[in-house]
Every structure is written in structure tokens, then in C-alpha cells.
Amino acid sequence: MIVGVPTEIKPDERRVALTPAGAAAFRHHHHTVLVQRGAGLGSGFADNEYRAAGARVTDSAAAVWRRAALVLKVKEPQPSEFRYLRPGLILFTYLHLAAERGLTRELLKRRVDALGYETVQLEDGSLPLLAPMSEVAGRLAIQVGGWCLEAQNGGRGVLLSGAPGVRPGKVLIIGGGIAGFNASRVAAGVGAEVTILDVSPVRLRYLNELLNGQAVTLMSNRATLEEELRAADLVVGTVLVPGARTPRLITARMVATMKRGAALVDLSIDQGGISETSRPTTHARPIYTREGVVHYCVTNMPGVVPHTSTYALTNATVPYALEIADRGLLEAGEHNRALRHGLNTWDGKVSHPAVAESVKLKPHSPWD
Ligand SMILES: NC(=O)c1ccc[n+]([C@@H]2O[C@H](COP(=O)([O-])OP(=O)(O)OC[C@H]3O[C@@H](n4cnc5c(N)ncnc54)[C@H](O)[C@@H]3O)[C@@H](O)[C@H]2O)c1
């Protein structure tokens, strides 16, 4: 199969969907790898490293998209890439379609077989291709949250670690999944007071044991959320309902009750956002202030630490991508149930139930 890797064009996105070592793995399985010139530069990989791994480096994005049967990307196709979408093309990337109805319509109209990394799901419900980026973004959330709290950014000038004789900052993490757990570890590590809210008793019990007194775990409900928001210096939103839009748990009125100069880092913005006041931002202009609260709502946070993120992402995605290239999409899905969940659209139909619901269509799976 011809596997294509275009350069990412989303603003400030420096990750790439395949490392030179990943390209070598595809070559080892007798596939052809086409990499757009400069695709790896942002992550520290030169074109020559891809050539040495057996890949062909081509000049234009159009050549990669048009010749490849399977396109590997990091972020969802941008409007300027829609013209490359064609019937039967297999696209494997982060899609987040529940929050992107326009893109869903394009993929359907152009009959693309599109798999979203974020909906590939194992039998135990875990999301193996979302996890590595959630780990990175969760850890990063505390770093950027601390920056938002700095006075020159409109923050209340609180140092999360506190100082000898001075209270540390209070960090509220809403959603104690992979990103939430990673955020809590870093926050506790710098000495902040950490509270985690979740709706899953099993997850709360697990976190309570794992964090061993380094964080307070609380059942998430409206009253507790309101109370904790009022006390927090930094709020990190990491709620996820797989495939669906994030529930807007925080209202504008609740934001208005928060401390002036507090910060909200909303990771779940890529699924629509946890707050009525959240709107997507970019690395170029990451923050804005609403109701006196500094909001950071970058949809591709790991893109700012591309070296770490590209390795973490491709460690997880390459085995699945190889299976698709080796067997073809239909046979790969027959053998690998996790991949079936990954399929979002195929041949003009929506296949993932949560995505289907967001566009009010009936789901159809090729494996039914
Ligand atoms: N912005 C970015 O750059 C970026 C990067 C990586 C991940 N993310 C996003 O971060 C979010 C979290 O990802 P994850 O991998 O940690 O997901 P996860 O499934 O591991 O965790 C989500 C948690 O939310 C909890 N939850 C569900 N409803 C809740 C509610 N009403 N109140 C409190 N908790 C609730 C679940 O029980 C679960 O523990 C996702 O939206 C993901 O797409 C964003």
C-alpha cells in the first residue's frame, strides 16, 4: 500500500504522523512511504532521515494526498485540504467530529473512509490512541496554567507551589481520566493543593489509592462543582464522554463567581469545551479573559512540545496503521475490534454512534 504523510498545516502544529523509525517499519512490511518535504522538521526529523529509512520525500502536499491510499496525519483536515479528500481514501488522524459538523459533512460528501485516533477503543473502554496525547496535555496543563496565573497575563499572580510561609495555589481538575491524572501528578509534584472531580466511583477509588493523599477526590455534581470553582486558582477541564460533545458543566454565571485572575485551562475544548465561556484558541494567541478569568483553550496543546509528542503519539498509532496497510481496512477491522470503533465515516455513511448522533444520522458499520 502507498502510505502518505503530509506536513501538518494547523497553526503552530509541529508534530508529524510518522517518525523515520515508523517509516522503516512500513518499508519492512513492503509498503511505499511518501513523506512531504519538511514534514518532520518541527519534530526534529530531517528529510534525509526519512530517505535513510527507505521513504520517498516529495515536494508537494498534493502529490502525497493524491498518490497515497492511506494518509496518516496528526490533526483533522483543514479547509484547504478538503480538495484532496476523495472516495475510498483511508484517512487515519485525530478527527474529533462530534465538535466539527462541517468536517463530518465533507468526509461524507467526499466518501472518505476516515478513522479517528480518539475513538479507537479497547474492550475495557480505554482509548489507546488518545491516551498518549492526554498524558502529554495533562502534564502540560499545569505548566501553562501556572503561566496563565502570572500577572502579566491577567492572572492573579499566584505561584502554584507557594513559598515558605505562603499557601500554595489550589488546582481543581474536573475529570480524573488519563489527562486529569497526569495533571494531578504534576500539580501535586510542584506542591499545589489538588482536588479532582469525577463521576465514576471506580475511577475516584483508583485515583484515591494511586495519589495516596496527594489529591482530594470528590464526586462531581453541580453543588460540589460550584463550591470548588469559587475556591480554585487554576481549573483544568478534562471531562470526556467518548465520541460525544463535552457536557458544558460550567456556566458563565459560575465563571463569574470564580476569583478574579483565576485561570481555566480547558483541554476538552477539542470536544466542544467544558465551559459556556470556552472558545478554541491557538498557540499564537492562546489566552483571553472572560468574567475576570484567564481562559486557555488551545485545541492541540501537545503540538507545542512536538519532540516528546511525536514519539508518544507514533509509539501508539503505528501498530494500528501497519495493520490497516497490511490487511486493508475491512479485514483489519474484522481482526481488530478496537479499530472498528475508530471508523467514523465510510463510503458516505457515518459509522460511529456518537458521531452519528451529533449529526442526527443513523450509524452504519461495514462490519454489521
Ligand atoms: N486540548 C488538547 O490539546 C488535548 C490533548 C489531549 C486530550 N485532550 C482532551 O482531554 C479530554 C480528556 O481526555 P482523557 O484521555 O483524559 O479522557 P478519559 O476518558 O481518560 O477521562 C475522562 C474522564 O471524565 C470523567 N467524566 C465524565 N463525565 C464527567 C462529569 N460530568 N464530571 C466529571 N468527570 C466526568 C470520566 O469518568 C473520565 O474519568 C478529552 O476531551 C480529550 O480529547 C485535549
Side-chain angles (χ1 to χ4, degrees), residues 257-320:
T257 67
M258 289 172 63
K259 292 176 190 164
R260 218 179 158 68
L264 168 63
V265 176
D266 192 354
L267 270 70
S268 42
I269 191 68
D270 59 358
Q271 293 285 133
I274 196 175
S275 172
E276 280 177 3
T277 55
S278 296
R279 61 168 170 77
T281 60
T282 63
H283 289 297
R285 298 192 62 178
I287 55 172
Y288 61 92
T289 299
R290 273 279 311 267
E291 311 290 351
V293 172
V294 182
H295 289 56
Y296 177 102
C297 304
V298 174
T299 49
N300 58 337
M301 289 173 66
V304 86
V305 284
H307 189 78
T308 303
S309 300
T310 290
Y311 276 112
L313 175 65
T314 58
N315 284 346
T317 55
V318 164
Y320 289 95

Side-chain angles (χ1 to χ4, degrees), residues 175-176 197-204 218-221:
L197 303 187
D198 204 293
V199 283
S200 159
V202 175
R203 190 69 193 169
L204 288 169
L218 294 174
M219 178 54 77
S220 183
N221 55 52

Side-chain angles (χ1 to χ4, degrees), residues 6-7 9-10 61-62 65-66 71 73 75-89 91 93-97 99-114 345:
T7 304
I9 58 168
K10 188 157 178 158
W65 280 94
R66 296 214 169 107
V71 166
K73 267 182 62 62
K75 291 309 283 185
E76 70 282 356
Q78 303 298 296
S80 66
E81 292 172 317
F82 289 172
R83 63 197 150 123
Y84 302 133
L85 303 175
R86 60 170 200 272
L89 172 73
L91 175 66
T93 186
Y94 284 118
L95 286 170
H96 298 289
L97 292 185
E100 289 278 353
R101 279 188 213 151
L103 176 58
T104 310
R105 278 194 290 272
E106 288 295 327
L107 294 171
L108 292 175
K109 190 174 82 188
R110 295 166 192 264
R111 294 176 36 225
V112 176
D113 298 341
T345 65

Side-chain angles (χ1 to χ4, degrees), residues 151-320:
Q152 83 280 5
N153 295 321
R156 60 192 307 259
V158 164
L159 182 64
L160 285 177
S161 61
V166 185
R167 260 186 197 290
K170 281 182 189 278
V171 177
L172 171 64
I173 297 166
I174 311 168
I178 309 260
F181 167 66
N182 279 273
S184 70
R185 275 202 38 203
V186 174
V190 300
E193 281 179 31
V194 185
T195 302
I196 310 176
L197 303 187
D198 204 293
V199 283
S200 159
V202 175
R203 190 69 193 169
L204 288 169
R205 189 166 298 120
Y206 173 77
L207 290 169
N208 188 262
E209 275 177 25
L210 206 63
L211 291 163
N212 195 22
Q214 289 188 308
V216 174
T217 53
L218 294 174
M219 178 54 77
S220 183
N221 55 52
R222 194 180 165 106
T224 306
L225 178 62
E226 282 181 344
E227 191 180 328
E228 294 299 321
L229 282 173
R230 281 195 294 271
D233 296 301
L234 168 60
V235 176
V236 181
T238 57
V239 163
L240 176 68
V241 180
R245 197 211 175 284
T246 313
R248 276 202 187 96
L249 300 178
I250 304 177
T251 62
R253 198 190 54 75
M254 290 184 199
V255 174
T257 67
M258 289 172 63
K259 292 176 190 164
R260 218 179 158 68
L264 168 63
V265 176
D266 192 354
L267 270 70
S268 42
I269 191 68
D270 59 358
Q271 293 285 133
I274 196 175
S275 172
E276 280 177 3
T277 55
S278 296
R279 61 168 170 77
T281 60
T282 63
H283 289 297
R285 298 192 62 178
I287 55 172
Y288 61 92
T289 299
R290 273 279 311 267
E291 311 290 351
V293 172
V294 182
H295 289 56
Y296 177 102
C297 304
V298 174
T299 49
N300 58 337
M301 289 173 66
V304 86
V305 284
H307 189 78
T308 303
S309 300
T310 290
Y311 276 112
L313 175 65
T314 58
N315 284 346
T317 55
V318 164
Y320 289 95

Side-chain angles (χ1 to χ4, degrees), residues 19 74 78 87 101 109 117-118 126 130 194 214 236 249 329 336 349 353:
T19 62
V74 177
Q78 303 298 296
R101 279 188 213 151
K109 190 174 82 188
Y117 293 152
E118 73 282 0
S126 62
L130 188 60
V194 185
Q214 289 188 308
V236 181
L249 300 178
L329 177 60
N336 188 332
K349 305 172 194 73

